[in-house]
Amino acid sequence: MNLALEQDMYNPIDTIENIFVRDNISFDRRKDNELVAEVLGKWDNMLVFFAYEEHMRCLHISCLLNMETAAVDRGKMFELLALLNENLWLGHFSYWSEQKMPIFKHSLILQDTEELFTSKISKIIELSIMECERVYPIFNAVMRQNISPMQALYAEAMVM
């Protein structure tokens, strides 16, 4: 089989499923091109979503921080998002209005073989979860304790 045809048939969700089986992480394969896993976090569990768009050969990753609040000052939220995203090298934080929760997002255009993809996606999953863990207390301070974004970021910087 030639490489182009092999890549057209490759579904990265299969590889992600194998990673979660290997690491004993619970997941749900919703569709052929979608998977969601629940990851135990330091502060709370996080849902990590994966969706593959095969025509674009693009994999989308989202990590939902479990911290719903009834009322969010959207101005503060968008200020915080801008401040957090300024220093990110990978992905970005957003606010999912429908769920009233912060979310980390990243997308990849796939051109790797499966062997290279496994190590790359494992690292991206690890980094995504680490970023969410790092900012959880910051989002918590702004969303639940009504602290300004700058104060929350300053407090986080002082701890590091």
Side-chain angles (χ1 to χ4, degrees):
M1 185 180 290
N2 73 26
L3 187 57
L5 184 56
E6 196 173 294
Q7 285 182 339
D8 286 342
M9 295 171 52
Y10 174 63
N11 185 343
I13 300 295
D14 296 334
T15 303
I16 294 165
E17 182 174 319
N18 291 335
I19 290 168
F20 288 137
V21 167
R22 176 195 73 199
D23 295 344
N24 200 27
I25 296 172
S26 63
F27 65 89
D28 180 23
R29 181 83 179 250
R30 294 181 169 177
K31 297 179 184 174
D32 210 26
N33 291 344
E34 290 182 12
L35 182 144
V36 62
E38 185 170 1
V39 177
L40 179 64
K42 179 179 178 181
W43 309 104
D44 202 345
N45 289 355
M46 291 173 274
L47 293 179
V48 185
F49 298 90
F50 300 86
Y52 177 57
E53 207 311 310
E54 65 186 304
H55 297 295
M56 292 185 345
R57 296 193 42 77
C58 184
L59 178 69
H60 180 77
I61 305 154
S62 300
C63 187
L64 186 64
L65 283 77
N66 187 21
M67 58 169 40
E68 182 177 351
T69 58
V72 173
D73 181 333
R74 294 177 71 81
K76 277 186 174 180
M77 179 57 60
F78 292 129
E79 178 185 354
L80 177 58
L81 292 170
L83 291 168
L84 289 173
N85 288 330
E86 280 180 356
N87 297 312
L88 285 180
W89 282 66
L90 175 79
H92 68 277
F93 284 97
S94 184
Y95 184 72
W96 191 2
S97 297
E98 182 180 310
Q99 296 295 323
K100 298 183 178 136
M101 292 184 198
I103 189 167
F104 178 83
K105 296 179 178 185
H106 183 66
S107 295
L108 290 170
I109 301 296
L110 301 179
Q111 298 175 331
D112 299 334
T113 64
E114 183 174 359
E115 183 178 301
L116 292 174
F117 176 72
T118 300
S119 62
K120 180 188 283 185
I121 194 63
S122 293
K123 189 64 174 175
I124 289 171
I125 292 168
E126 177 187 333
L127 291 171
S128 299
I129 292 169
M130 283 175 44
E131 280 299 317
C132 290
E133 290 287 327
R134 180 182 70 81
V135 302
Y136 189 97
I138 300 169
F139 275 110
N140 187 54
V142 172
M143 293 174 65
R144 293 181 174 159
Q145 299 169 15
N146 203 27
I147 295 174
S148 78
M150 286 301 277
Q151 286 177 314
L153 282 171
Y154 181 71
E156 191 261 347
M158 294 302 291
V159 172
M160 294 183 83

